Amino acid sequence: MALENSVFPSRPDSLALPVEEKGEVEEPEAGTKATTSTGVFNVSEELGHVVTTQTTASTSPPAKVKRSFQSKLAEREANANQHIKKIQGTEKERGRFGWARARRKRQRYVEKNGRCNVQHGNMRETYRYLTDIFTTLVDLNWRCSLFVFVMAYAVTWLFFGAIWYLIAYCRGDLDHLEDESWTPCVNNVNGFISAFLFSIETETTIGYGHRVITDQCPVGTMLLLLQAILGSMVNAFMVGCMFVKISQPNKRAETLVFSKHAVISLRDDKLCLMFRVGDLRSSHIVGANMRAKLIKSKQTQEGEFIPLDQTDISVGFETGDDRLFLVSPLVISHEIDAHSPFWDMSQAQLEKEDFEIVVILEGMVEATGMTCQARSSYLTEEVLWGHRFSPMMLLAEGFFDIDYGAFHHTFEVNTPSCSARELALAAARLDAHLYWSISSRLDEEPTLAELATKQPDGNAADSKAGEPIFTVGEMTDIQEQSALGELNGSITTDQSETEA
């Protein structure tokens, strides 16, 4: 049964023929019901065998049993291929043997949490990391940082402890432990453990007072000075690394949230790409600045292939709208104009495109004064055409209430599915049509100057009829322009009244 509904494009339709089994078909009588058992043979060239399925037709009145062979064949083929058509309507790509293949998901350049999905390999100049050892230690993860922190102190303590033990061994202090007349280099150092403890006391400036250096050992005095200086340097270096690592504003970006989807809809009769950003903390980001990049591979006219080419998406840099006052969630808008990379993109083309939009929010943390950066990205399937963000601000008693439950919520709105270019061309055609229609109406209306020139010709006829005669002189340019203005005003008034 499962093989019958599988997808085999190479299966000829003419081989799926219904075969009625003999001995099971009875002629229906009037007023009775008949049940027919049929079998369908499906032959697949790729499988190389015949699959037979038994189906039991539902009871039907005698009028439906006397259908033609073509109608029965069409109905059975439609029922057998119903599942196939559903799969073909949802899946666009298929494998070699006809099985549905899932569409390959685009690899993100920047993850939703802001992590850049890039790994550097085959680096031969690794010595450059040692030239900036401080930044290298700060960039390490916490496990490696703690390991380096512990090892830095342990190695220095062991190193200087071994030197103190070597001095005591070379001077013979270990051979005169019970000799009270012997003046050792360091009192009460009787082995490696005691030398190691003296090294810890010296570098950490604990000074218990039981093990002290004497004035009879100039080598020990020089070693004491060297260990004190190097110990201070190790303390400053490692404590500085840990302080910078702890105070990094990376975790501050966890409370800067972006909407899960970006939307495209109309704003002031123009298509706009929009996404929402918000700050969950009460301590705000000072000098917040927003940027956006389009990540898409392209090929130049010369045939050069540029992978992951970055194109700037304007979010108000020319007007200053990219500088945000991020007290409440804001909807960042990108107007799709002639300079936008989405100028020629319609809704149908958007579903076929393969790109990624990276959004970057930068600002200074108010509490620490350090610069913070939050990042996120939107793939093609995360851009919703014809949607708009739901409002989330309510006016409460004495304050504004922000409902973050509706932060990611969108709803559908009426939006044209054409591109911004086609929308602009349609608006231009409409404006041109209105302009020429008004101009043609103005040309058809007689001007006052023409009426004035025709007035003297009819004076004789008017005088005969006993009507008063008006003599109209030549109109100056100023009078003609004022008359035309009045005429145009009257036409406009008539049009407005007609529209009303």
Side-chain angles (χ1 to χ4, degrees):
M1 294 295 292
L3 291 177
E4 179 188 356
N5 293 333
S6 300
V7 181
F8 301 108
S10 60
R11 177 178 61 84
D13 296 335
S14 60
L15 295 180
L17 299 178
V19 179
E20 296 184 357
E21 297 181 359
K22 297 182 179 179
E24 295 184 2
V25 179
E26 297 180 358
E27 293 295 333
E29 298 179 359
T32 61
K33 298 182 181 180
T35 303
T36 304
S37 177
T38 61
V40 178
F41 289 90
N42 291 335
V43 180
S44 176
E45 296 179 355
E46 295 176 358
L47 296 181
H49 60 275
V50 179
V51 180
T52 304
T53 58
Q54 297 291 337
T55 58
T56 302
S58 60
T59 60
S60 58
K64 294 185 180 180
V65 178
K66 295 181 180 180
R67 293 176 299 174
S68 63
F69 177 79
Q70 289 79 6
S71 62
K72 294 180 181 179
L73 177 62
E75 182 180 358
R76 290 167 183 171
E77 284 294 320
N79 294 333
N81 298 332
Q82 184 178 5
H83 180 67
I84 299 175
K85 293 179 179 180
K86 290 182 180 180
I87 297 179
Q88 290 177 350
T90 55
E91 299 291 340
K92 298 181 180 180
E93 297 182 1
R94 296 193 172 275
R96 179 180 177 183
F97 297 102
W99 287 293
R101 186 193 329 180
R103 182 182 176 182
R104 182 180 61 86
K105 187 177 181 181
R106 176 186 171 90
Q107 183 67 41
R108 285 186 179 272
Y109 189 67
V110 177
E111 299 290 343
K112 296 293 287 186
N113 57 2
R115 184 181 64 86
C116 296
N117 194 14
V118 178
Q119 294 183 0
H120 303 280
N122 197 17
M123 294 180 297
R124 301 179 180 179
E125 298 179 354
T126 55
Y127 65 90
R128 296 182 180 273
Y129 288 95
L130 299 178
T131 58
D132 189 12
I133 187 63
F134 185 82
T135 306
T136 302
L137 293 177
V138 172
D139 291 340
L140 293 176
N141 54 33
W142 275 104
R143 185 179 302 176
C144 296
S145 297
L146 292 176
F147 178 77
V148 172
F149 184 83
V150 172
M151 292 301 297
Y153 285 101
V155 168
T156 54
W157 294 341
L158 290 173
F159 176 74
F160 284 102
I163 295 179
W164 287 114
Y165 176 78
L166 183 61
I167 291 176
Y169 179 80
C170 294
R171 292 186 75 255
D173 296 341
L174 301 179
D175 298 332
H176 300 79
L177 295 177
E178 303 297 334
D179 190 359
E180 296 181 357
S181 61
W182 180 264
T183 304
C185 182
V186 179
N187 290 328
N188 300 318
V189 174
N190 52 11
F192 178 78
I193 300 300
S194 59
F196 176 71
L197 294 176
F198 178 74
S199 175
I200 295 176
E201 295 175 9
T202 302
E203 188 168 341
T204 57
T205 64
I206 294 177
Y208 290 115
H210 183 66
R211 302 177 183 86
V212 293
I213 191 173
T214 61
D215 55 358
Q216 302 295 326
C217 182
V219 178
T221 304
M222 298 297 296
L223 182 61
L224 180 64
L225 295 176
L226 180 62
Q227 185 176 3
I229 295 173
L230 291 180
S232 300
M233 294 177 62
V234 170
N235 288 333
F237 190 81
M238 299 308 302
V239 172
C241 287
M242 296 302 294
F243 176 77
V244 172
K245 191 171 183 62
I246 292 173
S247 60
Q248 275 185 327
N250 295 338
K251 296 302 180 182
R252 179 63 177 89
E254 297 293 334
T255 54
L256 297 174
V257 293
F258 295 88
S259 58
K260 294 181 180 178
H261 297 88
V263 299
I264 295 179
S265 60
L266 289 176
R267 263 195 177 186
D268 298 330
D269 295 333
K270 295 181 180 179
L271 283 177
C272 296
L273 171 69
M274 294 170 286
F275 58 92
R276 181 179 274 170
V277 60
D279 188 4
L280 301 180
R281 286 189 178 274
S282 57
S283 59
H284 309 298
I285 298 294
V286 180
N289 185 24
M290 176 62 65
R291 292 186 293 131
K293 292 286 185 179
L294 175 65
I295 309 298
K296 181 181 179 182
S297 303
K298 73 173 186 178
Q299 189 172 5
T300 61
Q301 297 179 358
E302 295 78 12
E304 180 186 3
F305 179 75
I306 304 177
L308 301 179
D309 181 64
Q310 299 184 10
T311 305
D312 187 67
I313 300 177
S314 177
V315 289
F317 177 77
E318 296 81 4
T319 59
D321 293 337
D322 60 331
R323 294 185 289 272
L324 310 178
F325 181 53
L326 198 59
V327 177
S328 61
L330 300 176
V331 177
I332 310 301
S333 175
H334 162 66
E335 181 179 340
I336 303 179
D337 52 9
H339 303 285
S340 173
F342 309 104
W343 176 243
D344 297 320
M345 187 176 298
S346 62
Q347 182 179 5
Q349 187 178 0
L350 175 64
E351 298 175 356
K352 302 177 183 178
E353 288 291 334
D354 188 12
F355 61 82
E356 182 177 356
I357 301 174
V358 178
V359 292
I360 305 170
L361 175 63
E362 294 178 343
M364 186 171 58
V365 182
E366 186 180 21
T368 61
M370 302 184 69
T371 303
C372 173
Q373 184 180 92
R375 298 179 295 266
S376 186
S377 65
Y378 301 98
L379 297 180
T380 307
E381 55 269 17
E382 296 174 347
V383 180
L384 305 179
W385 189 286
H387 283 245
R388 188 181 297 167
F389 286 105
S390 301
M392 52 183 302
M393 180 179 292
L394 302 176
L395 180 59
E397 185 177 356
F399 60 93
F400 294 95
D401 187 16
I402 306 299
D403 181 17
Y404 275 95
F407 184 82
H408 302 285
H409 186 263
T410 62
F411 62 95
E412 295 185 4
V413 293
N414 294 328
T415 305
S417 59
C418 61
S419 62
R421 176 192 289 273
E422 297 172 352
L423 189 63
L425 290 177
R429 293 193 194 99
L430 181 60
D431 294 341
H433 176 71
L434 294 176
Y435 173 78
W436 288 110
S437 62
I438 294 175
S439 301
S440 62
R441 291 190 60 181
L442 291 177
D443 294 338
E444 293 176 358
E445 292 290 339
T447 62
L448 292 179
E450 295 176 355
L451 296 176
T453 56
K454 296 179 180 179
Q455 185 70 25
D457 298 336
N459 287 339
D462 295 340
S463 61
K464 293 179 180 180
E467 296 179 357
I469 301 174
F470 296 93
T471 303
V472 182
E474 295 181 359
M475 299 178 65
T476 61
D477 296 336
I478 300 176
Q479 293 174 348
E480 185 176 2
Q481 292 177 1
S482 61
L484 290 174
E486 294 175 357
L487 182 61
N488 295 338
S490 63
I491 294 175
T492 307
T493 306
D494 295 340
Q495 291 180 352
S496 61
E497 292 176 356
T498 305
E499 293 176 356

